[in-house]
Amino acid sequence: MPISVIVAILLLLALAYVFWYASRRGRGIVQTLSQAVAGTLTACAALLFLGAVTAAMFGGRPFGLEILKHPYEVWVQRFEHPTQPLVRLRANDEAQV
């Protein structure tokens, strides 16, 4: 698991703890919103952890999904052939009126 993923998970959990602590001290809507934000941050940290763990099992792809494959290929194509246009338009000669 990359160090950046571990740091991101720890930051999310630390921020979730701050919101959870605020929910223990708050009352009313502050308590409810703080609990919701803390739960959401904890869920995001858990998904990030599971994505990093499953990436090792699926050849570097989180959850087995090919994420950002197309934009990466477009960037590589643009870098290797800078004079070619990104989009090729074909003129339809038969449909001209």
Side-chain angles (χ1 to χ4, degrees), residues 10-53:
L10 289 176
L11 286 176
L12 283 174
L13 289 176
L15 194 58
Y17 178 75
V18 168
F19 277 99
W20 176 78
Y21 185 77
S23 74
R24 300 320 242 171
R25 299 288 181 186
R27 297 203 192 295
I29 193 155
V30 172
Q31 182 179 15
T32 305
L33 288 177
S34 296
Q35 287 176 347
V37 170
T40 303
L41 289 173
T42 304
C44 288
L47 281 175
L48 188 60
F49 175 76
L50 290 175
V53 168

Side-chain angles (χ1 to χ4, degrees), residues 27-81:
R27 297 203 192 295
I29 193 155
V30 172
Q31 182 179 15
T32 305
L33 288 177
S34 296
Q35 287 176 347
V37 170
T40 303
L41 289 173
T42 304
C44 288
L47 281 175
L48 188 60
F49 175 76
L50 290 175
V53 168
T54 58
M57 293 186 284
F58 291 111
R61 298 174 304 196
F63 302 109
L65 303 173
E66 294 201 19
I67 299 173
L68 297 176
K69 180 182 178 191
H70 179 68
Y72 178 74
E73 288 178 354
V74 169
W75 181 81
V76 168
Q77 183 72 14
R78 185 67 178 166
F79 182 74
E80 291 176 353
H81 307 286

